[in-house]
């Protein structure tokens, strides 16, 4: 009896379509490689118990390491991409349906092929195994971490608190910059096109972005469209559809939506602890996490048709945007003139004091000082006539007390220009003391 390491068709497709690069013509290549006709190949696909030992052995020889294969970095990225698709389906439906997303099936196929060629069981080949490994630091299950030169992902987990992590998103995107998901969103492109074509385009952009930040959960289209500044926007319903998605009823708890008291996003129930219902929040502010763990939350009655921001916009617009709006509010309280997202978001905020000081500010909500140091490209045209500050939310030092020192050291090691880094409160205090 042949040893069935995986389904015959799955192994054939993984080898000939992906590893050997035949794409859609993999079945023709497979039949030729195994020395059988296409009709015979299809028969074996339908009934793998009919596959002779010699065909199994021929397949195993073709799967040996001499065949081209993906490196560990690429495989990790494939599993990260697959998890993004899984999360997207759960966001959309409230559950993972069958068949699994194509990206997930492809990752399992390639993991199985690698296990065979390397004579190991390191790579997951089913969802249970993947979810178990995804909760562990990469160094515990990825055989070769030499590609991670800066140790950025050495202890990274693909799944945290039952949801994909920020590191998972980074690994899934070839550029390592998952914020580009926003720029690649068709709704974002539509919004930017409309803003560029209108005389009041900058103001429209500000209205839309503030609305998104302040309304991560809405009763429906009417909530957004009712904003006077958006009423006459061309194709606004299509933009709403691209930025928001319907909330599946599976998210509700006894007909109610548990809402994070700090971010306004939906909480996810994770279990009971000493009679207290614990929740998970997407907000990384430690106070938000403490409240969610303690079962403290706001509540909104769930109704069919309710919508929430899509995950990319929640992660990279809504949650960081809280700090942007807070900074603007505090500047205005001090009598400064402020403009959010000037020139369609060249920086997050410019502020001018009564005495004539001009500030340009970018707010970044990063937990990794190394990633921020490497990715931040500077203030460009603002450096000539503005004091420039890179600002992080107040909660970051609570998460990492050495964030600023690490940021400065890593940025210097990369040979990048020095940047003034402050927290929201730190910047306000500095200006008051000047």
């Amino acid at each position: 009896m042949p040893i069935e390491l995986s389904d015959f068709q799955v192994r054939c497709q993984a080898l000939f379509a992906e590893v050997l690069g035949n794409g859609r013509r993999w079945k023709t290549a497979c039949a030729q490689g195994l020395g059988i006709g296409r009709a015979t190949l299809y028969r074996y696909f339908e009934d793998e118990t009919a596959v002779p030992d010699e065909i199994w052995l021929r397949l195993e020889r073709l799967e040996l390491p001499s065949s081209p294969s993906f490196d560990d970095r690429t495989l990790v990225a494939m599993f990260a991409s697959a998890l993004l698709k899984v999360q997207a389906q759960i966001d959309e439906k409230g559950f993972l349906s069958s068949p699994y997303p194509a990206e997930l099936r492809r990752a399992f196929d390639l993991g199985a092929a690698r296990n065979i060629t390397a004579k190991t069981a390191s790579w997951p080949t089913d969802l249970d195994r993947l979810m178990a490994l995804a909760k562990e630091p990469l160094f515990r299950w990825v055989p070769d971490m030499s590609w991670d030169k800066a140790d950025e992902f050495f202890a990274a987990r693909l799944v945290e608190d039952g949801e994909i992590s920020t590191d998972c998103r980074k690994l899934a995107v070839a550029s390592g910059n998952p914020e580009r998901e926003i720029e690649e969103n068709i709704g974002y492109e539509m919004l930017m096109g409309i803003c560029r074509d209108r005389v009041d385009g900058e103001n429209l952009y500000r209205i839309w972005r503030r609305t998104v930040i302040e309304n991560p959960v809405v009763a429906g289209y009417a909530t957004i469209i009712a904003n006077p500044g958006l009423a006459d926007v061309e194709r606004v319903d299509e933009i709403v559809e691209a930025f928001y998605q319907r909330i599946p009823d599976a998210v509700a708890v006894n007909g109610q939506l548990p809402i994070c008291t700090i971010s306004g996003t939906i909480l996810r129930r994770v279990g009971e602890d000493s009679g207290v219902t614990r929740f998970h929040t997407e907000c990384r502010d430690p106070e938000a996490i403490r409240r969610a763990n303690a079962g403290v939350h706001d509540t909104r009655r769930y109704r069919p048709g309710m919508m929430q921001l899509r995950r990319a916009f929640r992660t990279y617009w809504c949650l960081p945007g809280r700090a942007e709006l807070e900074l603007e509010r505090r500047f205005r309280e001090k009598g400064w003139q402020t403009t959010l997202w000037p020139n369609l978001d060249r920086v997050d905020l410019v502020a001018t004091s009564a005495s004539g000081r001009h500030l340009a500010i970018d707010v970044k909500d990063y937990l990794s000082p190394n990633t921020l140091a490497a990715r931040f490209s500077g203030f460009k045209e603002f450096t000539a006539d503005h004091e420039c500050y890179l600002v992080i939310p107040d909660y970051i030092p609570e998460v990492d007390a050495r964030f600023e020192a690490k940021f400065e050291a890593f940025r210097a090691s990369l040979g990048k220009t020095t940047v003034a880094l402050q927290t929201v409160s730190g910047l306000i205090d500095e200006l008051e003391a000047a």
Side-chain angles (χ1 to χ4, degrees):
M1 292 290 292
I3 298 175
E4 294 187 33
L5 296 176
S6 66
D7 176 84
F8 179 71
Q9 182 172 356
V10 167
R11 285 175 57 181
C12 287
Q13 183 172 356
L15 175 62
F16 288 95
E18 307 295 346
V19 178
L20 297 180
N22 291 290
R24 294 180 179 180
R25 298 179 56 83
W26 72 270
K27 292 179 181 177
T28 299
C30 180
Q32 293 173 348
L34 296 177
I36 58 178
R38 296 231 344 178
T40 302
L41 180 67
Y42 290 145
R43 179 163 57 84
Y44 291 163
F45 286 167
E46 293 177 359
D47 180 15
E48 66 179 20
T49 62
V51 180
D53 287 355
E54 63 186 69
I55 299 299
W56 283 106
L57 292 173
R58 195 172 299 167
L59 177 61
E60 289 176 6
R61 283 197 297 271
L62 290 170
E63 291 172 330
L64 290 175
S66 56
S67 300
S69 62
F70 292 102
D71 59 26
D72 286 14
R73 170 64 175 85
T74 304
L75 270 178
V76 170
M78 288 181 176
F79 279 108
S81 297
L83 286 170
L84 256 65
K85 293 297 182 181
V86 169
Q87 184 71 73
Q89 189 176 113
I90 293 173
D91 286 349
E92 193 74 32
K93 300 180 178 180
F95 57 88
L96 180 62
S97 61
S98 181
Y100 290 158
E103 292 81 0
L104 182 60
R105 300 196 303 272
R106 178 171 178 251
F108 287 153
D109 291 348
L110 295 175
R114 172 59 69 81
N115 287 343
I116 293 168
T117 58
K119 300 185 184 303
T120 182
S122 299
W123 300 98
T125 57
D126 59 68
L127 188 58
D128 287 343
R129 177 68 172 157
L130 173 58
M131 294 307 296
L133 292 177
K135 298 173 185 176
E136 297 291 328
L138 289 186
F139 73 86
R140 290 187 180 167
W141 61 279
V142 177
D144 179 16
M145 290 293 294
S146 61
W147 49 270
D148 186 27
K149 304 299 183 185
D151 290 337
E152 182 180 359
F153 301 106
F154 186 73
R157 292 172 167 84
L158 300 183
V159 170
E160 295 179 342
D161 295 314
E163 294 186 339
I164 57 169
S165 65
T166 301
D167 284 328
C168 182
R169 285 187 174 276
K170 291 181 190 175
L171 287 163
V173 179
S175 66
N177 185 359
E179 292 171 80
R180 291 187 180 174
E181 283 184 79
I182 291 177
E183 297 172 4
E184 294 167 2
N185 180 282
I186 188 171
Y188 176 83
E189 293 176 356
M190 190 188 309
L191 171 69
M192 295 300 288
I194 291 171
C195 290
R196 292 189 184 103
D197 289 342
R198 291 174 58 126
V199 174
D200 63 345
E202 278 197 47
N203 188 52
L204 170 59
Y205 181 87
R206 278 190 285 272
I207 292 172
W208 177 264
R209 188 153 178 174
R210 182 185 287 273
T211 299
V212 162
I213 293 169
E214 295 178 341
N215 296 276
V217 177
V218 296
Y221 287 92
T223 305
I224 304 297
I225 299 174
N227 188 312
L230 302 173
D232 67 339
V233 176
E234 180 185 3
R235 301 170 69 185
V236 66
D237 56 333
E238 295 179 45
I239 300 175
V240 173
E241 187 72 29
F243 275 72
Y244 286 82
Q245 63 187 148
R246 298 191 184 284
I247 301 170
D249 56 11
V251 174
V253 179
N254 298 322
Q256 303 289 330
L257 294 176
I259 302 294
C260 176
T261 58
I262 289 180
S263 68
T265 56
I266 298 174
L267 299 175
R268 182 173 49 79
R269 187 170 183 260
V270 295
E272 299 281 338
D273 186 4
S274 302
V276 175
T277 302
R278 296 176 53 249
F279 292 90
H280 165 71
T281 177
E282 295 172 351
C283 182
R284 299 184 298 190
D285 187 327
E287 179 58 25
I289 296 171
R290 283 190 288 267
R291 293 183 190 182
N293 280 332
V296 177
H297 61 83
D298 292 331
T299 301
R300 290 187 62 175
R301 182 180 177 185
Y302 171 77
R303 297 180 183 276
M306 292 186 73
M307 307 173 78
Q308 67 174 330
L309 274 177
R310 296 183 184 275
R311 186 172 293 269
F313 291 105
R314 295 201 306 271
T315 302
Y316 303 115
W317 267 26
C318 178
L319 298 179
R322 293 174 51 252
E324 296 164 8
L325 297 185
E326 171 67 9
L327 190 61
E328 185 218 21
R329 181 186 66 79
R330 295 179 70 169
F331 266 104
R332 285 188 177 276
E333 287 180 350
K334 302 299 180 185
W336 290 62
Q337 296 295 316
T338 63
T339 302
L340 281 165
W341 313 299
N343 302 324
L344 298 180
D345 203 21
R346 295 296 290 174
V347 292
D348 289 323
L349 181 71
V350 291
T352 303
S353 70
S355 62
R357 293 182 68 181
H358 299 281
L359 272 60
I361 300 164
D362 247 352
V363 181
K364 297 294 183 184
D365 190 358
Y366 283 63
L367 290 182
S368 168
N370 291 5
T371 301
L372 179 56
R375 190 170 296 165
F376 185 68
S377 57
F379 289 90
K380 301 182 178 67
E381 68 268 28
F382 290 92
T383 55
D385 50 12
H386 287 73
E387 300 172 55
C388 299
Y389 287 89
L390 181 60
V391 173
I392 56 178
D394 285 340
Y395 77 82
I396 293 292
E398 182 179 346
V399 177
D400 184 352
R402 299 192 64 250
F403 187 96
E404 182 178 355
K406 292 176 183 177
F407 170 85
E408 292 175 349
F410 196 74
R411 193 163 177 87
S413 73
L414 296 174
K416 291 182 175 286
T417 56
T418 301
V419 177
L421 183 70
Q422 271 289 11
T423 62
V424 171
S425 294
L427 176 58
I428 297 298
D429 291 343
E430 178 181 317
L431 295 174
E432 287 181 341

